[in-house]
Amino acid sequence: MEQTFYDRGLEKSSQKKYAEAIKEFDRAIRVNSQFLPAYYQRGLAYFDLGDFRRAIADFNEALNLDPFYAKAHCSRGLAHLAAGNPQAALKDANRAVELDITYAQAYSLRGVLFRRLNNPAIAIGNLKKAAELYLETQDKVNCRRCLQQIEDIKKSRPPDKPKPTPPEFWEELKNKVLRGDLREALDDCDWLLRINRQDPKTYYHRGRIYLEWGNTAAAIEDFKKAAEYFQKQGNEIEMQRMFDLLQQLRSNPPRYAERTTPTPPPFIPDIPSPRTILHHKLYRLVGNWEIAQGLVKRLKNSHPGNPEEWYWEKAIYDIERDRGR
């Protein structure tokens, strides 16, 4: 019975009668509350009506039923983007690529997101990959669309200077640290640095988080960066405060209680710091920094053209999948 309602819903959607389609998908779900395709298609219908909140809720239901449904991750990412939440959209796009490295739409979404995050090089890399995948499936329309986006990025003027981070963000970041959500707090800082790689305040806060985590070496590198960019801003007071903090750490390094989890790997200055959270996770999985780098290197050779963080995420995913996690 649910299949009949579902098929009617698909027909209504194809006719762009989205409100009527939703009613049919509602009926299918009432008959079978575990009918994943109905949640997914109803989410798409809500999206087409501009109701992004309900669309996200339906994609959440679909992913509760099947967390490995790449299309639902990508569609939820599009809804998050339309709702003004690019950080959540990027997480979904990355997850979709992890689950299906041949999923062109997920690469296309990442291209759009990295362009908005003022990272044209990574945006172009993702759009190129999307164009190649679309071409392989003879989807010339979307292939041309991606190529046109690449041309637009190349011709566009330099991005505007990023706007200051609102005080509410720093307050929430502080609350996450107080709650012990250090990983989530680091992710927030990493995201900010993708937008503005020269923000001294973000480097300072991330350094404080590293100290809480017990990684003094990474904290020192971030405080150095903070001092450098405070100096470029002409803020001598904050620059001196960073120098004083660095001197204190060098002369009297903090002592940490014995931990039940492995200490994060040392900070590696030749790898961009915004992705160190992934480095730590892969290091803990394999227990050896050289092995971790070797896994990433092999992925780069077999899957060229992806953003740096994709390789680390893929290595982590492969290991956890093989271990049955």
Side-chain angles (χ1 to χ4, degrees):
M1 177 65 73
E2 66 267 25
Q3 189 66 45
T4 301
F5 293 131
Y6 176 73
D7 291 340
R8 289 177 188 170
L10 291 179
E11 184 180 356
K12 296 294 184 183
S13 289
S14 68
Q15 298 168 357
K16 298 187 178 181
K17 297 178 181 179
Y18 301 118
E20 295 180 26
I22 288 170
K23 290 180 181 179
E24 297 296 339
F25 295 134
D26 287 344
R27 294 186 179 103
I29 291 169
R30 280 198 293 271
V31 174
N32 181 0
S33 62
Q34 304 297 305
F35 193 31
L36 184 154
Y39 287 109
Y40 178 68
Q41 291 295 334
R42 191 174 68 177
L44 293 179
Y46 277 127
F47 181 89
D48 286 324
L49 287 175
D51 192 339
F52 307 124
R53 182 181 64 81
R54 283 193 172 94
I56 291 169
D58 270 346
F59 296 139
N60 287 342
E61 290 294 339
L63 288 167
N64 285 337
L65 294 169
D66 182 2
F68 303 101
Y69 192 14
K71 283 188 176 181
H73 279 288
C74 189
S75 296
R76 188 174 67 178
L78 286 167
H80 278 308
L81 176 60
N85 190 347
Q87 187 180 13
L90 185 58
K91 288 181 179 179
D92 270 328
N94 287 338
R95 183 58 174 155
V97 169
E98 281 183 7
L99 294 170
D100 184 358
I101 62 173
T102 65
Y103 192 15
Q105 189 179 10
Y107 287 103
S108 176
L109 174 58
R110 291 208 308 190
V112 171
L113 288 164
F114 279 114
R115 184 180 184 183
R116 291 199 179 192
L117 294 173
N118 294 336
N119 199 327
I122 295 182
I124 288 173
N126 276 276
L127 289 168
K128 281 183 178 178
K129 184 67 175 178
E132 292 171 3
L133 292 169
Y134 280 129
L135 190 60
E136 288 177 7
T137 58
Q138 303 300 310
D139 188 344
K140 296 180 181 179
V141 173
N142 279 315
C143 177
R144 283 195 292 268
R145 177 178 56 81
C146 291
L147 294 175
Q148 184 59 54
Q149 286 178 302
I150 291 171
E151 289 302 311
D152 291 343
I153 293 173
K154 290 179 178 179
K155 294 177 182 177
S156 63
R157 62 182 176 81
D160 296 331
K161 185 177 180 180
K163 296 179 181 179
T165 306
E168 294 82 3
F169 183 93
W170 299 120
E171 185 64 28
E172 178 59 23
L173 188 72
K174 183 175 72 172
N175 290 335
K176 287 178 180 179
V177 174
L178 291 174
R179 293 194 303 266
D181 297 334
L182 301 184
R183 185 178 301 281
E184 189 173 344
L186 276 175
D187 283 341
D188 288 344
C189 290
D190 293 346
W191 180 71
L192 281 180
L193 288 171
R194 290 192 187 103
I195 300 173
N196 182 6
R197 297 296 296 273
Q198 299 185 14
D199 181 15
K201 193 171 183 180
T202 304
Y203 282 110
Y204 166 72
H205 281 285
R206 196 175 66 174
R208 300 297 306 186
I209 295 168
Y210 275 128
L211 283 181
E212 288 288 334
W213 196 2
N215 193 344
T216 306
I220 287 174
E221 291 298 327
D222 271 353
F223 293 146
K224 284 180 181 177
K225 283 287 188 182
E228 175 187 346
Y229 291 123
F230 275 130
Q231 183 179 31
K232 288 182 177 179
Q233 290 180 355
N235 191 336
E236 295 185 2
I237 294 177
E238 289 299 325
M239 178 193 71
Q240 187 58 52
R241 190 162 73 95
M242 294 301 103
F243 285 144
D244 292 343
L245 183 55
L246 286 166
Q247 180 61 36
Q248 179 183 348
L249 287 173
R250 288 168 180 148
S251 60
N252 187 23
R255 295 181 179 179
Y256 300 101
E258 185 177 347
R259 296 172 179 268
T260 57
T261 56
T263 302
F267 181 77
I268 307 298
D270 61 332
I271 298 176
S273 57
R275 287 179 284 271
T276 52
I277 194 71
L278 294 174
H279 301 164
H280 296 320
K281 186 172 183 179
L282 183 57
Y283 170 82
R284 285 195 299 273
L285 285 171
V286 300
N288 183 290
W289 187 240
E290 291 183 0
I291 292 175
Q293 290 179 306
L295 291 172
V296 170
K297 185 177 180 180
R298 283 196 291 274
L299 284 171
K300 287 181 177 179
N301 292 334
S302 58
H303 302 287
N306 287 296
E308 174 73 18
E309 65 180 8
W310 182 88
Y311 297 107
W312 294 87
E313 291 171 343
K314 182 69 168 63
I316 291 166
Y317 171 75
D318 287 345
I319 291 173
E320 291 183 336
R321 178 198 60 201
D322 294 342
R323 294 179 181 177
R325 293 188 179 182

